[in-house]
Amino acid sequence: MSAKQSLSSLILGALFGSGLLISGMIHPQKVQNFLDVAGSWDPSLSLVMGGALLMTAIAFPLILKRREPLFAHKFHVPSAKNLDAKLVVGSALFGIGWGLGGFCPGPAIVGLVSGSSASLLFVVSMLLGMALHRTYHDLRSPPT
Amino acid sequence: MHHFTPVSALIGGLLIGTAASLMLLLKGRIAGISGIIGGLLHPSAGDASWRALFLIGMMTAPLGYLLWTGRLPEITSDVSNRTLIMSGLLVGFGTRLGSGCTSGHGVCGLARRSPRSLVATLTFILSGALAVFVSRHLIGVTP
């Protein structure tokens, strides 16, 4: 990988992580308060998502009109169109975990560097959950 | 209402959206964090380093905060370790089964007008709200 590629990965990660940090999403209680419409509701996270979507909803369609990205030869964009049970069940399980702990993957990764033991315990469990999915996936459709 | 922080939320959101847009423009990749991590757990040749570097970049954000304020951001959780482990397992398994999380489906997928991402986003927000309702108000795990 070229220096341009490596450096841009690092800088984009830093920008993304800074956004998560500044937005307050790295705080699990704030996330839970957003989801707690019947209790101490904090609507801040709708503005995080709204702000992010304001950028992406305008930029993505324009970018995808290009023949190729600036530093690569093709776009890696999901092609699946079907609304299947895996999508719904997976998203439902993710939502339950998100609500119970207040962490989703991005903020948990950023939180690792705060020295928070909760973030560390969550991330290790999340990686285990991802590995379990891989095992489950391979059992159902063995790699050829 | 509880600690509503509209300005920092909006600024943070705009930064996240800018990073996701530049990711697509420069690299042609979707900034979906669960997908980036998942791809690193079983990497194919030449596909691992951009993922690792992006995640390392994310982890420099608290260091920027440290330089700015003189301390690291303080993250507190009021749920038990058992609940944290369970929630981590559910998030890990669920995001891989459902092909995305808040960033991949919620920010990038909706911007591509993907019906799959719309269904996924509505599903995880609803089930998340339900999980909080049950744990906070029915069982009373947290105050």
Side-chain angles (χ1 to χ4, degrees), chain B residues 4 12 16 22 24 35 73 88 96 102 115 127 130 142:
Chain B
F4 182 42
I16 294 168
L22 286 173
L24 189 67
R96 298 310 289 148
T102 17
S127 67
L130 195 66
T142 53

Side-chain angles (χ1 to χ4, degrees), chain B residues 39-66:
Chain B
L40 206 52
L41 288 180
H42 33 86
S44 48
D47 187 51
S49 53
W50 74 270
R51 296 172 188 272
L53 287 166
F54 186 86
L55 295 174
I56 291 168
M58 283 176 73
M59 290 192 273
T60 64
L63 302 178
Y65 183 94
L66 175 67

Side-chain angles (χ1 to χ4, degrees), chain A residues 34-111:
Chain A
F34 166 69
L35 294 169
D36 193 0
V37 278
S40 49
W41 190 51
D42 173 357
S44 307
L45 256 61
S46 51
L47 287 171
V48 180
M49 205 160 159
L53 272 171
L54 194 67
M55 295 297 300
T56 55
I58 295 169
F60 272 38
L62 296 173
I63 295 166
L64 290 171
K65 280 194 187 136
R66 299 177 55 91
R67 266 196 27 248
E68 55 180 42
L70 291 176
F71 296 172
H73 296 300
K74 64 173 190 155
F75 287 104
H76 297 267
V77 172
S79 54
K81 294 265 183 285
N82 55 324
L83 302 172
D84 54 7
K86 281 200 294 192
L87 178 78
V88 177
V89 174
S91 299
L93 293 177
F94 161 46
I96 294 169
W98 188 38
L100 286 180
F103 285 109
C104 58
I109 294 288
V110 176

Side-chain angles (χ1 to χ4, degrees), chain B residues 5-27:
Chain B
T5 51
V7 177
S8 54
L10 194 59
I11 292 172
L14 288 169
L15 283 176
I16 294 168
T18 304
S21 302
L22 286 173
M23 185 82 165
L24 189 67
L25 176 65
L26 299 178
K27 298 173 167 302

Side-chain angles (χ1 to χ4, degrees), chain A residues 1 4-6 8-10 12-23 25-30 32-45 47-57 59-61 63-64 66 68-72 74-78 80-84 86-101 103-107 109-119 121-122 125-134 136, chain B residues 1-31 33-35 37-38 41-42 46 49-51 53-63 65 72-103 105-117 119-121 123-125 127-133 135-137 142:
Chain A
M1 195 157 71
K4 187 172 73 177
Q5 289 280 4
S6 306
S8 61
S9 298
L10 263 176
L12 290 175
L15 192 62
F16 197 98
S18 304
L20 287 173
L21 197 156
I22 291 168
S23 73
M25 260 191 108
I26 60 166
H27 300 289
Q29 286 153 337
K30 195 166 179 66
Q32 289 177 316
N33 287 335
F34 166 69
L35 294 169
D36 193 0
V37 278
S40 49
W41 190 51
D42 173 357
S44 307
L45 256 61
L47 287 171
V48 180
M49 205 160 159
L53 272 171
L54 194 67
M55 295 297 300
T56 55
F60 272 38
I63 295 166
L64 290 171
R66 299 177 55 91
E68 55 180 42
L70 291 176
F71 296 172
K74 64 173 190 155
F75 287 104
H76 297 267
V77 172
K81 294 265 183 285
N82 55 324
L83 302 172
D84 54 7
K86 281 200 294 192
L87 178 78
V88 177
V89 174
S91 299
L93 293 177
F94 161 46
I96 294 169
W98 188 38
L100 286 180
F103 285 109
C104 58
I109 294 288
V110 176
L112 282 178
V113 181
S114 73
S116 142
S117 60
S119 302
L121 185 59
F122 175 87
S125 310
M126 175 179 80
L127 293 176
L128 191 61
M130 288 181 169
L132 278 174
H133 171 263
R134 185 66 183 179
Y136 162 83
Chain B
M1 227 181 270
H2 214 77
H3 305 303
F4 182 42
T5 51
V7 177
S8 54
L10 194 59
I11 292 172
L14 288 169
L15 283 176
I16 294 168
T18 304
S21 302
L22 286 173
M23 185 82 165
L24 189 67
L25 176 65
L26 299 178
K27 298 173 167 302
R29 294 279 180 178
I30 296 294
I33 308 305
S34 60
I37 301 171
L41 288 180
H42 33 86
S49 53
W50 74 270
R51 296 172 188 272
L53 287 166
F54 186 86
L55 295 174
I56 291 168
M58 283 176 73
M59 290 192 273
T60 64
L63 302 178
Y65 183 94
L72 285 169
E74 193 180 335
I75 295 175
T76 51
S77 162
D78 55 9
V79 302
S80 68
N81 285 345
R82 204 174 56 175
T83 307
L84 274 176
I85 292 171
M86 180 49 85
S87 75
L89 290 171
L90 284 166
V91 169
F93 191 92
T95 51
R96 298 310 289 148
L97 186 65
S99 311
C101 58
T102 17
S103 47
H105 281 311
V107 173
C108 298
L110 291 186
R112 294 189 299 113
R113 323 281 197 271
S114 156
R116 275 173 59 85
S117 290
V119 169
T121 305
T123 305
F124 65 65
I125 289 181
S127 67
L130 195 66
V132 169
F133 182 76
S135 65
R136 278 191 174 179
H137 302 292
T142 53

